[in-house]
Amino acid sequence: MKKTEYSMKKQSVIAGKAVRFQHKTQEVPFYHTEFDGDVFTLALSEETAPTYLGGTFKTRSDDLFIMTYPKSGTHWVSYISDQIAKKASLQRLEKDLYIGGIPFLDRTPPAELASLSSPRAMYSHLPYRFTPHHPTQLLKYIVVARNPKDVAVSQFNFLKNMKMFDFEGSWDDFLTLFMDGKGFGGSYFDWVLQWWEHQNNDNVLFITYEDLKKDLVKEVGMISHFLNHSLSSTELQEVAAACTFEAMKKNKIGAIEKNKAKTMKKDQSFYRKGIIGDWQNYFSPEQTKAFDDWCELNLKGTGLHFEFS
Ligand code: PPS
């Protein structure tokens, strides 16, 4: 495959820095963005990249950002936040590309986000350094992390099954890409550890996919407390019931699932398995050993631990 075969041949410039949008290259064989010589395997658009990579997004003091490395629970926590907001009588505009009333920051034109009423909530895969911050506004961030083995498996299936990404490689090819920091979202550990450093900040709630799976009602309670909405225990149960894997799949939550005949390859659902430990069906013993060593190297001394089953 020639390097430029799938290039959209579009280029824009942010403060003298080149941004290229490419579907596939030999190095990263699925849709990605190049900025200032770095590869960002992010779903930015030509319209949004200058604002987010250029750091010019106009925040509001009551903004909420739901931050995830892709395939870590974005839809889940966005929809939980949306359901909590509804219980707290917050009216948000619902659009086809949103999860409930929550837009995807990375692909939503900044002018559209500026037109939304406060308090806004947005979800994003941007790494810490490109996430909108403000020196005095106490913006809120819910950060969702998932164990990297299940993230890799979930991403592999997503990239293969989404028409837009059209990844044609094998599981072995993908795992090499992922461990090289070229999965969708870039380097997994850079992403997670940069947020983990801020996990004790008052305006950051760091939660895990595995904890959500273990006790959804408890985590819904933590999220609503963080958002300053006091819901009754019945309301918490109702939100949790609306946000199970089965309920979200049945109700086709999110644009990808809603439009799955267009977005996904034949017979695939965005809501694939929704479990902890599917990695065991993909990793060979050698891959498990190499991946465990890689995790140990990256997590050593950080205090961050993951549950893999
Ligand atoms: S994306 O594309 O980055 O927005 O994907 P994201 O939403 O982060 O992650 C998708 C995976 O989360 C699973 N999922 C859930 N698991 C449990 N409960 C609920 N309610 C839920 N909603 C989504 C989804 O099935 C994907 O994981 P896999 O392992 O592929 O099934």
Side-chain angles (χ1 to χ4, degrees):
M1 186 195 310
K2 277 204 256 91
K3 209 174 177 193
T4 52
E5 191 176 346
Y6 290 89
S7 166
M8 291 164 73
K9 295 195 180 69
K10 282 183 179 167
Q11 184 165 323
S12 58
V13 172
I14 302 165
K17 302 184 172 175
V19 182
R20 274 194 200 85
F21 302 90
Q22 310 203 47
H23 277 192
K24 289 185 181 185
T25 60
Q26 221 158 30
E27 200 191 0
V28 181
F30 55 85
Y31 181 97
H32 65 280
T33 307
E34 284 177 21
F35 173 62
D36 197 18
D38 285 333
V39 169
F40 294 99
T41 48
L42 292 165
L44 294 161
S45 74
E46 196 174 7
E47 201 175 355
T48 61
T51 301
Y52 304 133
L53 298 183
T56 58
F57 181 69
K58 229 172 159 334
T59 55
R60 296 182 198 156
S61 56
D62 51 4
D63 279 342
L64 166 68
F65 297 92
I66 295 154
M67 305 304 305
T68 61
Y69 184 87
K71 313 316 287 181
S72 299
T74 323
H75 280 63
W76 201 358
V77 173
S78 297
Y79 197 57
I80 291 171
S81 307
D82 180 68
Q83 293 298 297
I84 291 171
K86 282 212 174 73
K87 292 281 182 206
S89 303
L90 275 182
Q91 301 297 327
R92 284 197 172 119
L93 183 69
E94 296 201 8
K95 290 184 74 170
D96 193 37
L97 290 176
Y98 295 7
I99 299 175
I102 304 192
F104 185 22
L105 178 86
D106 309 12
R107 288 191 77 75
T108 308
E112 181 176 326
L113 297 176
S115 73
L116 300 178
S117 50
S118 295
R120 300 181 299 187
M122 295 147 274
Y123 69 92
S124 171
H125 300 315
L126 290 171
Y128 184 86
R129 67 186 181 288
F130 290 123
T131 302
H133 299 284
H134 193 277
T136 54
Q137 294 170 341
L138 210 57
L139 311 171
K140 285 191 176 179
Y141 305 92
I142 301 178
V143 183
V144 194
R146 184 183 191 183
N147 85 68
K149 287 180 183 164
D150 284 334
V151 166
V153 167
S154 184
Q155 277 209 6
F156 169 64
N157 283 287
F158 184 65
L159 296 176
K160 269 194 106 62
N161 296 331
M162 277 278 284
K163 286 181 187 163
M164 167 180 151
F165 290 108
D166 194 29
F167 177 66
E168 290 169 311
S170 66
W171 161 246
D172 292 358
D173 296 337
F174 178 73
L175 194 62
T176 303
L177 274 177
F178 186 82
M179 292 176 73
D180 275 354
K182 293 176 191 155
F184 177 33
S187 159
Y188 172 85
F189 280 114
D190 278 359
W191 198 102
V192 167
L193 291 174
Q194 279 165 16
W195 275 107
W196 177 246
E197 265 181 47
H198 299 87
Q199 48 119 1
N200 286 324
N201 293 12
D202 287 345
N203 61 335
V204 173
L205 179 67
F206 192 103
I207 57 178
T208 67
Y209 181 99
E210 290 74 23
D211 282 347
L212 287 158
K213 234 13 234 186
K214 271 193 303 186
D215 192 340
L216 186 53
V217 177
K218 180 174 163 219
E219 296 297 303
V220 171
M222 273 180 48
I223 295 169
S224 62
H225 179 74
F226 178 71
L227 298 178
N228 294 328
H229 299 312
S230 52
L231 303 192
S232 68
S233 65
T234 307
E235 288 174 319
L236 294 178
Q237 307 262 3
E238 285 168 357
V239 170
C243 298
T244 61
F245 178 80
E246 293 72 22
M248 288 181 63
K249 183 170 184 166
K250 180 167 164 261
N251 293 321
K252 297 187 168 52
I253 302 305
I256 300 173
E257 187 70 1
K258 219 172 275 158
N259 305 312
K260 72 176 181 175
K262 279 197 202 133
T263 58
M264 306 292 286
K265 291 185 189 163
K266 203 165 173 274
D267 295 335
Q268 301 295 331
S269 168
F270 173 86
Y271 293 93
R272 196 182 61 88
K273 285 199 180 169
I275 58 171
I276 307 171
D278 193 32
W279 63 270
Q280 290 165 92
N281 296 314
Y282 287 78
F283 280 68
S284 68
E286 295 74 29
Q287 287 174 336
T288 304
K289 166 86 179 75
F291 203 92
D292 286 345
D293 290 349
W294 179 62
C295 288
E296 198 183 320
L297 188 75
N298 281 284
L299 291 173
K300 202 170 170 197
T302 65
L304 178 60
H305 300 282
F306 287 107
E307 291 181 42
F308 291 96
S309 58

